[in-house]
């Protein structure tokens, strides 16, 4: 049975039902009759009342495009133009019906949003057999023949979901556990449901499946099951990223402040902190991140008067006292990005829950040049000759705003034993990954850093979906900040750091939500885009007329 046959049968059935009763008469504001009747499906005592209860709830999607200046304000769509005032809807729809030739089954108000054979860019929001279709059919029938009009419920009107909105990548556990006790059992992680067979009967196709990686680990390392466990893990992960990761000093506060000497200056600029942040492509910290200026006791000034950018952190001793020593947090150098308002002002996260945006400014080449032993001796700097961890682990970085994390991973794979993480160089790995020339994968040189909040909605990690999101060890691949922790014969420091923190850091990454967009959004335009994105009939375009429909 084709669509036209189904349409004919449906219309005949509706016509028979309509012919079974007749209502009374009355005067209408548009010159057509108000019909007495009524139904438990809402007030249907008149066409206006029927319209309000059965038709108007379906017009939200129409209003997005069929308005002045909207995408349907065209020769084809201008027959129906609504305003943002719903009280005008009835008169405007009635006027459109008249302008479009009146009638019922041949009127564009009915067939454009229903009949697949009609080229309607807004898709088919009222398919034949739906409540919306039945309601419009009834309304047009009453307008077309007021003396033979029966009004009644057209079925349950379902409230349409909003065209705009976002979970901001909030994981279901974050939402579920809000307001629940620690003992509440966690629901299924949606990411774990993306397995072979999930595509059957669906229009969406997944080709990167989740794999269980934790089942064989000790019980304390297996996946968590309660809201309390989730809260504990993400809190520990956040603390480790912001404090534990910077466990080794890379310079003193004085050495940090004297960085201006490497810039060729005789004295620090007045806006030294801002210039440091700008030169190396770091970003302002939206949280307390102090360091002491020369002559300052950080324990008398709440850490100091200076402010470090994301990616650096002043350390504390075992007694919790500030040390005046500064460590590197490599995670935030690549993942400490920022949004920018349209007026040019930086929109920086006010707390750590919004961290994780890829940093498109970071300049590892400049970091290496200013700290290169060769450059410090007046010799030409060549990218990669610095002994700094930033350059070592971003081998092959060629430009500002990019890194080569995969190249760094492959370097570690070549240098370390997979199980113990002890130093065990294997030249065969180098030949496989770099064909003897370097350690870079051919497709992994200049990479944009992905946002952490993608982690909560994906079944696999990295741009090539190379690892299941349940594989947590690699989230701390760049954990140690220097060779003393990264490259050791036994691998004990590196291994214990990962084993003790990877699950916690993974839970924190999963809990991160994206920040709200800081600029203004043209809501009306965005809603039109949403309609087209979800329902646009690509076969309505002349160029696709001969293409096979799925």
């Amino acid at each position: 049975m084709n669509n036209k046959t189904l349409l004919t049968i449906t219309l005949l059935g509706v016509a028979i039902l309509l012919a079974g009763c007749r209502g009374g008469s009355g005067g209408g504001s548009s010159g057509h009759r108000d019909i007495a009747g009524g139904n438990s499906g809402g007030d249907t005592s008149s066409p206006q009342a029927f319209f309000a209860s059965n038709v108007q709830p379906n017009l939200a999607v129409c209003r997005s495009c069929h308005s002045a200046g909207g995408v349907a304000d065209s020769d084809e769509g201008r027959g129906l133009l609504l305003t943002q005032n719903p009280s005008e809807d009835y008169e405007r729809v009635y006027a459109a019906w008249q302008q479009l030739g009146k009638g019922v089954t041949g009127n564009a108000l009915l067939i454009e949003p229903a009949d697949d054979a009609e080229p309607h860019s807004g898709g088919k929001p009222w398919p034949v057999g739906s409540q919306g279709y039945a309601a419009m059919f009834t309304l047009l029938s009453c307008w077309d023949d007021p003396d033979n009009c029966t009004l009644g419920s057209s079925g349950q009107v379902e409230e349409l979901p909003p065209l705009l909105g976002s979970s901001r990548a909030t994981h279901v556990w974050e939402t579920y556990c809000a307001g629940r006790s620690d003992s509440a059992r966690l629901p299924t992680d949606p990411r774990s449901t993306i397995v072979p067979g999930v595509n059957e009967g669906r229009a969406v196709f997944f080709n990167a499946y989740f794999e269980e990686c934790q089942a064989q680990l000790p019980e304390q390392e297996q996946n968590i099951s309660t809201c309390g466990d989730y809260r504990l893990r993400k809190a520990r992960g956040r603390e480790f990223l912001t404090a534990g990761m910077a466990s080794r000093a890379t310079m003193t506060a004085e050495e940090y402040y004297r960085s201006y000497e490497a810039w060729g200056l005789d004295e620090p600029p007045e806006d030294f902190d801002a210039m440091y942040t700008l030169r190396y492509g770091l970003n302002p910290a939206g949280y307390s991140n102090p360091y002491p200026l020369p002559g300052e006791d950080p324990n008398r000034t709440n850490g100091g008067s200076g402010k470090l950018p994301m990616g650096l952190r002043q350390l504390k001793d075992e007694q919790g006292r500030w040390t005046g020593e500064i460590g590197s947090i490599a995670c935030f150098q690549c993942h400490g990005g920022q949004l920018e308002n349209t007026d040019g002002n930086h929109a920086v996260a006010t707390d750590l829950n919004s961290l994780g945006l890829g940093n498109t400014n970071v300049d590892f080449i400049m970091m290496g040049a200013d700290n290169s032993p060769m450059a410090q001796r007046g010799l030409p700097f060549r990218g990669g000759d610095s002994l700094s961890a930033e350059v070592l682990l971003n081998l092959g970085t060629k430009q500002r705003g990019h890194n080569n994390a995969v190249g760094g991973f492959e370097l570690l794979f070549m240098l370390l034993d997979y199980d113990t993480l002890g130093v065990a160089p294997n030249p065969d790995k180098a030949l496989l990954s770099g064909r003897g020339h370097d350690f870079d994968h051919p497709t992994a040189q200049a990479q944009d850093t992905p946002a952490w909040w993608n982690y909560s909605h994906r079944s696999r990690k990295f741009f090539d979906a190379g690892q299941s999101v349940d594989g947590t060890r690699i989230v701390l691949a760049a954990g140690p900040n220097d060779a003393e922790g990264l490259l050791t014969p036994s691998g004990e420091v590196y291994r214990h750091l990962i084993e003790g923190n990877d699950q916690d850091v993974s839970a924190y990454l999963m809990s991160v939500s994206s920040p709200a967009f800081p600029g203004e959004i043209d809501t009306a335009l965005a809603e039109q885009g949403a309609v087209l994105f979800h329902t646009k009939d690509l076969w309505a375009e002349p160029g696709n007329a001969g293409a096979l429909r799925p």
Side-chain angles (χ1 to χ4, degrees):
M1 182 182 298
N2 60 33
N3 287 335
K4 290 188 176 180
T5 302
L6 178 60
L7 175 61
T8 301
I9 293 174
T10 303
L11 296 180
L12 286 173
V14 174
I16 291 172
L17 290 173
L18 292 175
C21 321
R22 294 186 181 182
S25 62
S29 62
S30 295
H32 42 275
R33 310 183 76 181
D34 289 344
I35 307 300
N39 189 282
S40 59
D43 180 10
T44 59
S45 59
S46 68
Q48 289 91 335
F50 178 86
F51 175 88
S53 62
N54 289 267
V55 177
Q56 194 168 35
N58 302 313
L59 292 181
V61 66
C62 304
R63 192 186 315 280
S64 298
C65 300
H66 284 270
S67 57
V71 296
D73 188 358
S74 62
D75 292 341
E76 294 80 9
R78 203 170 290 127
L80 171 65
L81 285 183
L82 301 173
T83 69
Q84 298 306 310
N85 184 359
S87 66
E88 299 179 4
D89 285 352
Y90 184 86
E91 298 297 336
R92 284 185 169 268
V93 173
Y94 182 72
W97 171 71
Q98 291 181 309
Q99 182 181 338
L100 293 170
K102 301 186 178 181
V104 181
T105 60
N107 194 281
L109 289 178
L110 182 69
I111 62 175
E112 286 284 348
D115 188 352
D116 285 335
E118 292 296 324
H120 183 234
S121 293
K124 307 302 171 188
W126 309 335
V128 175
S130 67
Q131 181 275 333
Y133 180 88
M136 183 58 74
F137 181 90
T138 299
L139 182 67
L140 299 190
S141 298
C142 284
W143 286 347
D144 190 59
D145 187 5
D147 292 330
N148 294 287
C149 174
T150 297
L151 293 170
S153 172
S154 59
Q156 180 65 39
V157 180
E158 296 184 7
E159 183 178 354
L160 296 175
L163 288 171
L164 302 182
S166 174
S167 67
R168 290 174 48 197
T170 304
H171 191 271
V172 65
W173 289 356
E174 189 73 12
T175 304
Y176 176 82
C177 289
R180 283 186 167 85
S181 67
D182 285 346
S183 61
R185 303 288 296 181
L186 293 170
T188 299
D189 184 342
R191 301 173 302 175
S192 68
T193 66
I194 309 303
V195 295
V198 71
N199 297 315
E200 295 178 8
R202 290 184 170 89
V204 177
F205 188 84
F206 295 94
N207 63 355
Y209 300 122
F210 175 88
E211 291 178 290
E212 170 67 55
C213 301
Q214 310 296 330
Q216 303 304 316
L217 292 179
E219 183 176 354
Q220 67 272 20
E221 286 295 306
Q222 291 183 17
N223 285 321
I224 51 182
S225 58
T226 68
C227 288
D229 293 337
Y230 170 65
R231 292 187 181 107
L232 180 61
R233 275 195 174 173
K234 73 173 183 177
R236 290 192 310 223
R238 169 176 165 161
E239 177 65 20
F240 178 76
L241 281 178
T242 56
M245 282 283 284
S247 58
R248 295 180 182 274
T250 57
M251 58 185 139
T252 65
E254 183 178 356
E255 289 170 336
Y256 170 82
Y257 193 69
R258 294 177 69 87
S259 296
Y260 66 86
E261 296 176 348
W263 309 346
L265 301 178
D266 295 328
E267 58 184 25
E270 292 183 2
D271 55 350
F272 169 78
D273 289 345
M275 289 298 98
Y276 188 100
T277 299
L278 179 64
R279 183 175 181 87
Y280 300 120
L282 302 176
N283 287 303
Y287 49 92
S288 177
N289 203 20
Y291 76 94
L293 298 177
E296 220 177 12
D297 181 351
N299 291 296
R300 291 180 177 271
T301 55
N302 197 28
S305 301
K307 185 170 184 178
L308 296 169
M310 284 191 286
L312 299 176
R313 185 77 168 174
Q314 184 184 177
L315 307 180
K316 292 183 177 182
D317 61 21
E318 293 181 357
Q319 286 72 45
R321 292 172 53 83
W322 296 106
T323 64
E325 296 182 329
I326 295 175
S328 169
I329 303 180
C331 295
F332 292 160
Q333 292 178 11
C334 291
H335 294 274
Q338 68 183 15
L339 296 175
E340 189 170 299
N341 283 323
T342 53
D343 62 2
N345 296 323
H346 297 313
V348 184
T350 56
D351 59 53
L352 294 172
N353 283 328
S354 297
L355 288 176
L357 179 66
N359 185 2
T360 58
N361 300 320
V362 65
D363 195 336
F364 290 112
I365 297 176
M366 184 63 73
M367 291 182 190
D370 284 354
N371 294 281
S372 165
M374 294 182 67
Q376 292 171 359
R377 290 168 174 77
L379 300 175
F381 170 77
R382 298 189 304 274
D385 72 359
S386 171
L387 297 181
S388 67
E390 288 86 356
V391 172
L392 177 63
L393 290 181
N394 286 276
L395 194 67
T397 297
K398 303 297 191 298
Q399 64 194 62
R400 185 181 180 101
H402 289 135
N403 65 64
N404 186 6
V406 173
F409 292 159
E410 292 187 345
L411 173 60
L412 293 177
F413 292 159
M414 190 211 74
L415 294 176
L416 304 177
D417 177 74
Y418 287 169
D419 295 316
T420 67
L421 301 185
V423 175
N426 186 335
D428 289 340
K429 298 177 187 175
L431 293 173
L432 290 173
S433 64
R435 300 188 181 279
H437 300 293
D438 53 44
F439 308 122
D440 292 340
H441 190 280
T443 61
Q445 301 224 2
Q447 302 166 43
D448 289 324
T449 302
W452 275 346
W453 46 81
N454 288 333
Y455 194 86
S456 64
H457 279 52
R458 296 190 175 184
S459 57
R460 301 191 71 82
K461 289 185 288 203
F462 307 124
F463 62 82
D464 61 351
Q467 290 203 359
S468 173
V469 74
D470 202 41
T472 57
R473 288 182 66 179
I474 203 165
V475 300
L476 290 179
N481 293 307
D482 52 32
E484 182 180 350
L486 187 66
L487 303 174
T488 62
S490 68
E492 184 175 4
V493 174
Y494 194 9
R495 186 173 69 253
H496 287 179
L497 178 142
I498 291 176
E499 289 175 347
N501 298 283
D502 62 329
Q503 295 265 21
D504 296 337
V505 171
S506 179
Y508 170 69
L509 297 185
M510 187 179 68
S511 75
V512 173
S513 299
S514 66
F517 181 68
E520 293 185 5
I521 296 176
D522 186 335
T523 301
L525 188 62
E527 288 182 338
Q528 294 176 49
V531 172
L532 295 177
F533 180 83
H534 290 289
T535 67
K536 181 173 173 61
D537 183 0
L538 297 177
W539 284 263
E541 306 298 333
N544 295 328
L548 181 67
R549 285 180 177 269

